Amino acid sequence: MSLQPITRNTLFYGDNLPILREHLAAESVDLIYLDPPFNSNRSYNVLFKNEKGKESEAQATAFEDTWHWDKAAQTFDEVKRNAPADVEQMLNALHSFIGENQMMAYLVMMSARLLELHRVLKPTGSLYLHCDPTASHYLKIILDTIVGVENYRNEITWKRTSAHNTPNRWGGVHDVLLFYTKSNQYTWNQSYLQYEQQYLDTKYRYSDERGRYRLTDLTGAGVTRDGSSSQPWRGVNPASLGRHWGMPREVLVSIVGATRFDSMTTQEKLDVLDQNGYIYWPPKGRKGGIGFPQLKRYLSGGVPIQDVITDIAPINSMAAERLGYPTQKPVALLKRIIAASSNAGDVVLDPFCGCGTAIAAAHELGRQWLGIDITYLSIDIMKQRLAGNYQLVAGTDYDVVGEPEDLDSARQLARDNRYEFQWWALLQIGAKAYGAQAGGKKGKKGADKGVDGVITFEERGGKFQRAIVQVKSGGVNRDDIATLHSDMQREQAAVGIFLTLEPPTAPMKNEADAAGEYQSTWNDKYYPQIQIITIEDVLHGKQPDLPPTVSGPFKDARKVKGKQGEQRSLL
């Protein structure tokens, strides 16, 4: 059964490979931007080490990405069985050269996804792959094979930081964006950058009623033997200087049209330019001689965008749009890409959408959007961002596919990925993960000391207290509550929350009741010191009983002002 195009803006929670295969129809997306995760901070040599033996286990623990050969080997065989012959040949060659290591695992997993992304891209569509120089050359080989060498357009360099003090080598300050199209007929909107004021003051020093202009030569090198381009005009002979008249076709066509332009002599074209004020005549010399006329080139548009981007700064610690997400890209960068390679109402897909910058940029430019991410933390950040910046409500203004909606799907998530279940459960009650990193990765094993999450609340006098959270997806008993009570004392927490997938036993409830109550100085209200909440309770709207809270996974982005992108049907 063929898939139908998605008719609403949608966030997908889960692995993008099955989501692409099961939800996105062929040739249904106008623009794809992807910034896949890759830990280039690892030693370049380690990325190429064979992953066999005990050493690989130690490396796997330190290397925080999920791209490893033991996970990629099955995908490698699957892709070779189902991909076109040239893709199979390319992967075999890379495997023979690179070996079985983290780098090859990454390339295999990317190849499988790029094949699907190519399938869903419209014939007029474009793809931008954002990466760094560690793997960009290999990714270009893969894209050349899957998308086609003839459809390569640019390798764009983005200067992402001002300086790096890197010992014994050149400082690495740039990322790479590989720009491909599905065919040679693709959407392209020429974009321009503003000229710097110093350049304007130096080059465009003159002005008249038409605007600012600079003076340029009206002739070109060499004498033509045939035609009128080397013949005199109004007493000026370019051939005397070994030159010929050079015509600004674009200006003349805008005045007389292309048909008339092609039938005019050079002298007639010069007359039209002069009559319309495009020629500057220098003052006569001391002997009354005539100087060579010059062409007035008026300021228009700006500087066409180039493949080296230096005018868009990275997200710094004081940026208004900063969410605290480590790989967050600036909205301005994504807006430039989306504006150049799509039109209003087009569908923009980000299959590794992280904190949702591509989604935000697409929405602000009036495009439709589809975002996919494998971590629920990212989905939650995007939901908060869409609500805070654009007042969009999940389920009303856009769809969210893949997040648990009932007890059965919550159990399935716990079976599939215990840590993802933990993230999801914490976010349902507004808790911030304890000892974890942005992007959904757990911190070092044991670093949380039995504490999974924290909720901070304010007390009188500007003081703050904490509620610690423990999440359990398996069997539970009375000892779990006793352990939580002990952890509260060690962490000096005012309240303990026990969030459980399984229903609590009567002894657990008695142990929690025996812990007593906490009195808040904020409102003098008493709160249970240990609170047991089931996932089923949370799915029905129950939340911890606490004073006003201030915690959250990331800080809010600024609210976007002005006209926002309209919600349009994808049909």
Side-chain angles (χ1 to χ4, degrees):
M1 183 177 67
S2 61
L3 297 172
Q4 297 299 313
I6 298 168
T7 57
R8 286 232 301 180
N9 291 339
T10 306
L11 294 178
F12 293 92
Y13 168 46
D15 187 338
N16 55 26
L17 185 57
I19 288 172
L20 288 167
R21 290 170 174 170
E22 297 168 10
H23 291 275
L24 271 68
E27 300 184 352
S28 61
V29 174
D30 297 282
L31 172 62
I32 297 171
Y33 167 85
L34 64 155
D35 182 10
F38 186 74
N39 194 344
S40 58
N41 292 326
R42 290 286 284 158
S43 164
Y44 196 72
N45 292 330
V46 168
L47 293 172
F48 287 88
K49 271 192 175 182
N50 192 291
E51 287 196 315
K52 295 178 181 178
K54 293 182 179 180
E55 185 181 8
S56 68
E57 291 301 316
Q59 292 175 6
T61 301
F63 190 54
E64 295 168 350
D65 294 322
T66 58
W67 315 82
H68 294 279
W69 183 252
D70 59 345
K71 297 181 180 181
Q74 183 177 349
T75 305
F76 180 60
D77 293 334
E78 176 193 337
V79 171
K80 289 199 299 177
R81 283 195 306 269
N82 300 317
D86 57 344
V87 175
E88 178 186 5
Q89 184 179 5
M90 175 269 295
L91 286 174
N92 282 331
L94 287 174
H95 182 237
S96 176
F97 170 66
I98 295 174
E100 296 178 355
N101 47 48
Q102 293 170 3
M103 178 62 79
M104 188 62 202
Y106 176 77
L107 299 176
V108 167
M109 302 296 267
M110 283 305 303
S111 296
R113 286 152 178 80
L114 288 169
L115 282 164
E116 289 300 320
L117 292 172
H118 185 249
R119 178 185 65 83
V120 305
L121 193 61
K122 290 181 180 178
T124 55
S126 300
L127 181 147
Y128 289 80
L129 196 162
H130 193 140
C131 51
D132 71 18
T134 309
S136 61
H137 48 303
Y138 294 121
L139 292 169
K140 188 176 185 301
I141 291 172
I142 293 170
L143 283 166
D144 281 348
T145 308
I146 294 174
V147 185
V149 175
E150 69 279 7
N151 293 318
Y152 165 74
R153 302 300 165 209
N154 280 105
E155 179 175 301
I156 302 162
T157 298
W158 173 49
K159 184 181 178 183
R160 57 176 168 77
T161 184
S162 58
H164 255 213
N165 184 15
T166 309
N168 303 320
R169 62 189 178 97
W170 303 74
V173 298
H174 79 280
D175 279 359
V176 172
L177 291 101
L178 300 173
F179 171 32
Y180 284 77
T181 60
K182 186 77 171 274
S183 69
N184 61 1
Q185 300 294 321
Y186 57 93
T187 299
W188 179 253
N189 303 309
Q190 184 63 62
S191 300
Y192 297 89
L193 307 179
Q194 290 186 343
Y195 290 107
E196 294 183 359
Q197 190 60 46
Q198 182 179 0
Y199 176 81
L200 295 175
D201 293 340
T202 303
K203 298 296 183 181
Y204 288 87
R205 295 181 292 136
Y206 310 100
S207 63
D208 58 20
E209 65 281 358
R210 189 178 277 124
R212 298 184 69 146
Y213 65 90
R214 62 190 178 97
L215 299 177
T216 62
D217 203 337
L218 196 54
T219 64
V223 177
T224 59
R225 298 187 179 278
D226 300 318
S228 56
S229 61
S230 290
Q231 299 300 313
W233 174 68
R234 298 195 183 180
V236 179
N237 184 7
S240 65
L241 298 178
R243 301 181 70 80
H244 66 278
W245 298 111
M247 293 296 98
R249 178 183 173 84
E250 185 177 346
V251 173
L252 282 162
V253 168
S254 70
I255 299 172
V256 302
T259 302
R260 187 183 170 200
F261 174 85
D262 292 336
S263 65
M264 295 170 68
T265 65
T266 299
Q267 285 68 29
E268 289 172 335
K269 294 172 183 176
L270 289 166
D271 285 337
V272 169
L273 289 173
D274 197 24
Q275 292 164 9
N276 285 272
Y278 282 93
I279 291 180
Y280 169 79
W281 289 94
K284 293 182 179 181
R286 286 179 294 177
K287 296 183 179 180
I290 300 175
F292 260 77
Q294 293 177 282
L295 177 67
K296 295 181 181 179
R297 289 198 178 273
Y298 287 89
L299 179 66
S300 64
V303 183
I305 56 173
Q306 305 295 306
D307 66 1
V308 177
I309 302 175
T310 59
D311 64 306
I312 298 178
I315 304 292
N316 61 48
S317 60
M318 301 302 292
E321 66 185 271
R322 179 180 172 84
L323 297 173
Y325 199 86
T327 58
Q328 182 180 354
K329 303 302 186 292
V331 171
L333 178 65
L334 273 299
K335 278 188 171 182
R336 183 170 298 177
I337 292 169
I338 292 169
S341 293
S342 68
N343 296 315
D346 281 354
V347 182
V348 177
L349 166 65
D350 185 347
F352 296 93
C353 54
C355 62
T357 300
I359 302 304
H363 185 77
E364 291 185 25
L365 292 175
R367 275 63 165 171
Q368 290 297 288
W369 46 262
L370 305 172
I372 310 172
D373 205 275
I374 198 169
T375 64
Y376 189 76
L377 175 63
S378 293
I379 299 299
D380 189 74
I381 292 170
M382 283 184 279
K383 289 166 67 175
Q384 293 185 40
R385 190 173 190 176
L386 291 169
N389 289 4
Y390 315 111
Q391 296 75 57
L392 299 181
V393 178
T396 300
D397 300 304
Y398 64 94
D399 292 328
V400 181
V401 176
E403 65 178 347
E405 297 179 345
D406 53 37
L407 194 56
D408 286 342
S409 55
R411 291 185 189 280
Q412 185 61 51
L413 177 59
R415 287 192 293 268
D416 292 342
N417 190 317
R418 183 165 60 90
Y419 287 129
E420 273 300 307
F421 169 80
Q422 179 178 296
W423 272 105
W424 171 79
L426 290 171
L427 291 168
Q428 302 315 297
I429 61 171
K432 181 177 181 179
Y434 186 88
Q437 303 171 10
K441 297 183 179 70
K442 184 81 174 159
K444 291 182 179 179
K445 186 176 181 180
D448 58 9
K449 298 180 181 178
V451 180
D452 297 316
V454 176
I455 302 175
T456 304
F457 55 89
E458 189 171 1
E459 292 289 23
R460 193 173 296 163
K463 296 182 180 180
F464 297 92
Q465 283 283 9
R466 297 186 305 159
I468 62 172
V469 184
Q470 288 186 355
V471 180
K472 295 293 182 181
S473 58
V476 292
N477 56 49
R478 176 185 172 278
D479 290 343
D480 292 319
I481 303 303
T483 300
L484 174 59
H485 200 182
S486 175
D487 291 338
M488 288 171 56
Q489 295 171 344
R490 184 192 67 239
E491 298 292 325
Q492 298 182 336
V495 177
I497 311 287
F498 191 79
L499 190 55
T500 172
L501 183 60
E502 302 300 330
T505 64
M508 291 173 65
K509 295 178 181 178
N510 293 335
E511 186 76 15
D513 291 340
E517 294 180 314
Y518 165 77
Q519 184 179 13
S520 169
T521 61
W522 177 269
N523 52 16
D524 295 325
K525 181 180 175 181
Y526 286 90
Y527 298 88
Q529 197 163 22
I530 293 183
Q531 302 176 24
I532 301 175
I533 303 176
T534 68
I535 293 299
E536 187 172 18
D537 290 336
V538 171
L539 290 169
H540 287 89
K542 185 174 181 178
Q543 291 290 301
D545 187 15
L546 296 170
T549 60
V550 297
S551 64
F554 288 94
K555 79 167 195 174
D556 292 334
R558 84 276 185 259
K559 182 174 288 187
V560 176
K561 299 179 180 179
K563 183 178 179 181
Q564 304 305 324
E566 299 177 357
Q567 298 287 347
R568 298 181 176 85
S569 169
L570 298 186
L571 295 178

